[in-house]
């Protein structure tokens, strides 16, 4: 059953203001804002949404590293369907698209993270060498009061994703210029074993359509920010 969401996102800093707000230009400032979500609750979830190649996982890991043992990382990528399931569903050529994720499994884990605060919770990830999801790579320990989760579709107004969105204290939108994202995405595919032509074709036929869908969710996010210009030594 889907959850009705009564919230109306009011960005802490709008798209124009976010470019000049010094707090959005440092990991420390963003980490402080993220930590404020834990006030008055045993544990909170911060979501980072945005198109492929925008820097979501980089920022999520930086926030968790800055906050230390009080924070934990939960990537949506751990809920990629396996290659066998993608083949069964006819989604092999659309791996990474919205229907190629186990969204309900993701929602269930977010609920566990918020409800079970006294035991270890293991979190899956995606292995870019195996090209498969792997179990229990990450851990949410009892000491973690903030869980940072990131993925393309976290703010999408679609079945399942709406339920995930409601469980987040806030969801921030991470963006980057199209040429920057395109370069990162091609490099990602080259690193995964595709040649230049295959890499560019995958980005054009898969990553780009996925990005256009994600961009429709931008206005549902509570803050819009970019990792461009942040101090790389802090990442």
């Amino acid at each position: 059953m889907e959850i009705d969401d009564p919230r109306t996102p009011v960005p802490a800093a709008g798209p124009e203001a976010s470019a000049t707000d010094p707090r959005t230009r440092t990991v420390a400032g963003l980490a402080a804002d993220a930590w404020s979500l834990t006030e008055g609750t045993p544990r909170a979830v911060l979501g980072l949404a945005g198109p492929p190649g925008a820097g979501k996982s980089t920022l999520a890991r930086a926030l968790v590293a800055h906050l230390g043992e009080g924070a934990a990382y939960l990537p949506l990528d751990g809920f990629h369907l396996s290659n066998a399931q993608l083949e069964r569903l006819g989604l092999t050529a659309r791996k990474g698209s919205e229907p190629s994720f186990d969204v309900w499994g993701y929602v269930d884990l977010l609920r566990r993270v918020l409800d079970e605060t006294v035991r270890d919770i293991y979190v899956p990830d995606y292995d870019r060498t195996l090209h498969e999801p792997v179990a229990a790579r990450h851990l949410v320990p009892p000491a973690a009061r903030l869980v940072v989760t990131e993925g393309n579709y976290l703010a999408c107004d679609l079945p399942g994703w709406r339920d995930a969105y409601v469980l987040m204290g806030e969801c921030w939108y991470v963006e980057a210029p199209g040429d920057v994202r395109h370069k990162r995405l091609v490099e990602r595919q080259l690193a995964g074993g595709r040649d230049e032509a295959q890499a560019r074709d995958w980005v054009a036929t898969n990553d780009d359509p996925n990005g256009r869908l994600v961009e429709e969710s931008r206005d549902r996010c509570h803050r819009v920010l970019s990792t461009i210009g942040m101090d790389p030594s802090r990442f």
Side-chain angles (χ1 to χ4, degrees):
M1 182 178 69
E2 292 183 29
I3 302 171
D4 291 333
D5 181 14
R7 298 175 301 168
T8 301
V10 179
E16 294 78 18
S18 65
T20 57
D21 183 350
R23 293 183 66 82
T24 69
R25 309 302 290 177
T26 68
V27 173
L30 291 172
D33 289 348
W35 187 255
S36 71
L37 299 176
T38 65
E39 294 177 6
T41 184
R43 179 177 287 161
V45 174
L46 169 66
L48 301 179
K56 300 180 298 297
S57 61
T58 301
L59 178 58
R61 292 174 183 272
L63 292 173
V64 170
H66 185 87
L67 291 168
E69 65 180 14
Y73 178 50
L74 195 165
L76 172 63
D77 274 359
F79 292 86
H80 268 285
L81 296 180
S82 69
N83 291 330
Q85 297 303 327
L86 292 175
E87 183 175 359
R88 180 181 68 84
L89 294 168
L91 289 171
T92 300
R94 293 291 283 123
K95 188 173 188 175
S97 64
E98 183 272 328
S100 73
F101 286 87
D102 175 18
V103 61
W104 298 110
Y106 176 66
V107 170
D108 285 344
L109 186 59
L110 290 183
R111 289 196 181 109
R112 279 193 64 207
V113 160
L114 291 172
D115 291 344
E116 300 177 22
T117 58
V118 297
R119 61 172 61 88
D120 287 341
I121 297 177
Y122 296 100
V123 174
D125 200 355
Y126 183 79
D127 191 300
R128 294 188 182 278
T129 300
L130 298 175
H131 303 291
E132 290 276 17
V134 293
R137 176 167 285 176
H138 303 288
L139 172 70
V140 178
R145 295 195 55 216
L146 180 71
V147 175
V148 182
T149 185
E150 53 84 15
N152 295 343
Y153 308 104
L154 272 53
C156 285
D157 190 14
L158 294 169
W161 306 106
R162 288 190 287 262
D163 297 66
Y165 178 85
V166 172
L167 297 172
M168 300 171 197
E170 287 189 359
C171 188
W172 299 351
Y173 190 89
V174 183
E175 62 183 6
D179 58 337
V180 174
R181 292 198 304 105
H182 188 272
K183 182 175 183 292
R184 290 172 177 173
L185 292 170
V186 169
E187 289 175 349
R188 180 182 297 175
Q189 295 305 316
L190 291 172
R194 288 186 167 91
D195 63 28
E196 182 81 16
Q198 292 171 331
R200 293 188 179 280
D201 180 69
W202 182 268
V203 172
T205 61
N206 198 48
D207 289 332
D208 286 348
N210 295 342
R212 288 192 291 271
L213 172 63
V214 172
E215 286 168 0
E216 296 176 5
S217 70
R218 188 178 187 271
D219 290 344
R220 283 170 53 80
C221 294
H222 299 83
R223 177 177 298 196
V224 177
L225 54 93
S226 172
T227 57
I228 303 297
M230 286 187 179
D231 180 0
S233 69
R234 303 300 301 274
F235 280 68

